[in-house]
Amino acid sequence: MTDGPTYGFDTLQIHAGAKPDPATGARQTPIYQTTAYVFRDADHAAALFNLQEVGFIYSRLTNPTVAVLQERIATLEGGVGAVCCSSGHAAQIMALFPLMGPGKNIIASTRLYGGTVTQFSQTIKRFGWSCKFVDFDDVEAVKAAVDDDTRAIFGEAIANPGGYIMDVRSIADVADAAGVPLIIDNTSATPYLCRPIEHGATLVVHSTTKYLTGNGTVTGGAIVDSGKFDWSANDKFPSLSQPEPAYHGLKFHETFGPLAFTFHGIAIGLRDLGMTMNPQAAHYTLMGTETLSLRMDRHVANATKIANWLEKDDRVDYVTYAGLESSPYFDRVKTVCPKGAGGLFTFAVKGGYDACVKLVNSLEIFSHVANLGDTRSLIIHSASTTHRQLSAEQQEAAGAGANVVRVSIGTEDADDLIADLDQALAKATS
Ligand SMILES: *Cc1c(COP(=O)(O)O)cnc(C)c1O
């Protein structure tokens, strides 16, 4: 489904990348549970290894089931290609790997998934990389943070955990002026609610663990390339613009043009970092993508109803859902996420840390888990769990203070969820 008419999102989420299996006619994409693929002959093998022909060699690099998911996610995001990998965090490392080197830095939003803050503030230092965290609503501060060693700017369209919506276009302009790519983590929004490439993003990363799979079964990640960045415009990105010694001096950008980043992600990234998605995971995620828009519409409708109910409740201090009229991001949502502000928000409970712990313990339908984007409603007290490794200051900046819980609203009956929150808030604040 790459040529022909332009189909709508609901059609593409089911069909993009897939066709009946050529060997058997199987209508659903088979799970190609194989490690290796037989070469036609020795010349065919040599051509594959030289990247002169595209095909399947070994499942650390490519697998037909995973390839369908890659094409589907790339299509839904409006990119030219995608590489799937073993988790969202793997996707972030794989996105940065071709761009970075010792002494290079990235600029990231202060409002990010807690695990990402830890990855960027601690772990990447082991590679000699560093990160400057900046408030992305202060565009001048983002501009001022750019220096000669900056190689990327990174933010989340809908930021986890706090109901923050990033003005993607204003930061894309800063990245363009600096000659570096803007990477958007689109996990919380999904391509149904937000298409970052249309707002100027170069790369989009996903934790497919969340809404794309949709039911909490498998971990996975994806890196989508817009194909629009000129990797040879300056000397900042030698991995893409300069000869690659491990492929007989091949230059990825010159050879593969707009697909350079995607080919590099497979031929170097997966080959050498080995953060591969397995075909079983790809199968579950392909099943999930088929119903993405249906689920997201329900997540948004439920979240809107529940956020409005909570906001009027005396036991609640505030609710940070960008779909609420009281949100400072209510207008921005209409541009960045025209189909709604997602299913994720936080609220502050009167009674602080202890009340939050009691609330989490008293809920019946909501599960207390470190996940989001499930059909089930989920809750977590970020300060005692996902954001525990952060300083109090970082917790506040990330919207995860001690009195705040994060909910991922599922697709159950909204009235049942409200009744559950009502009884648990009664126990928490009595
Ligand atoms: C979960 C998540 C990640 C990390 O993904 P994993 O699949 O758990 O590695 C990154 N960013 C966001 C916004 C997430 O929600």
Side-chain angles (χ1 to χ4, degrees), residues 9 35 47 63 130 143 146 201 210 219 224 233 237 250 354 394 408:
F9 193 96
T35 307
N63 172 280
S130 62
K143 261 186 220 166
V146 174
K210 313 293 170 53
T219 66
V224 183
F237 305 104
L250 174 139
D354 294 339
Q394 284 175 317
S408 171

Side-chain angles (χ1 to χ4, degrees), residues 141-172:
V142 180
K143 261 186 220 166
V146 174
D147 64 31
D148 289 346
D149 290 323
T150 301
R151 290 296 176 269
I153 301 181
F154 187 101
E156 292 177 13
I158 297 180
N160 180 350
Y164 170 80
I165 307 291
M166 175 179 164
D167 180 357
V168 180
R169 175 57 67 185
S170 70
I171 304 298

Side-chain angles (χ1 to χ4, degrees), residues 39-207:
F39 306 121
R40 287 196 302 272
D41 53 35
D43 286 345
H44 177 222
L48 290 174
F49 275 93
N50 277 342
L51 299 184
Q52 286 157 335
E53 195 176 316
V54 177
F56 299 103
I57 300 176
Y58 185 64
S59 282
R60 173 157 27 86
L61 289 86
T62 46
N63 172 280
T65 314
V66 177
V68 173
L69 181 62
Q70 287 173 161
E71 190 173 334
R72 184 161 307 167
I73 295 174
T75 304
L76 296 179
E77 285 288 1
V80 295
V83 180
C84 283
C85 55
S86 53
S87 72
H89 270 4
Q92 293 170 190
I93 293 294
M94 292 226 358
L96 293 177
F97 182 67
L99 312 175
M100 300 292 281
K104 306 306 177 204
N105 68 69
I106 59 171
I107 296 166
S109 170
T110 46
R111 301 179 187 85
L112 293 177
Y113 179 71
T116 305
V117 177
T118 309
Q119 190 185 54
F120 287 175
S121 61
Q122 307 296 332
T123 304
I124 65 170
K125 283 198 259 181
R126 311 276 179 98
F127 305 142
W129 309 349
S130 62
C131 177
K132 305 181 203 182
F133 292 94
V134 182
D135 176 356
F136 273 21
D137 276 351
D138 187 347
V139 176
E140 290 308 314
V142 180
K143 261 186 220 166
V146 174
D147 64 31
D148 289 346
D149 290 323
T150 301
R151 290 296 176 269
I153 301 181
F154 187 101
E156 292 177 13
I158 297 180
N160 180 350
Y164 170 80
I165 307 291
M166 175 179 164
D167 180 357
V168 180
R169 175 57 67 185
S170 70
I171 304 298
D173 290 343
V174 177
D176 284 349
V180 300
L182 173 65
I183 307 173
I184 294 294
D185 180 341
N186 203 28
T187 300
S188 308
T190 81
Y192 180 64
L193 299 181
C194 175
R195 306 234 303 170
I197 291 170
E198 289 170 6
H199 299 274
T202 302
L203 302 171
V204 178
V205 293
H206 275 282
S207 167

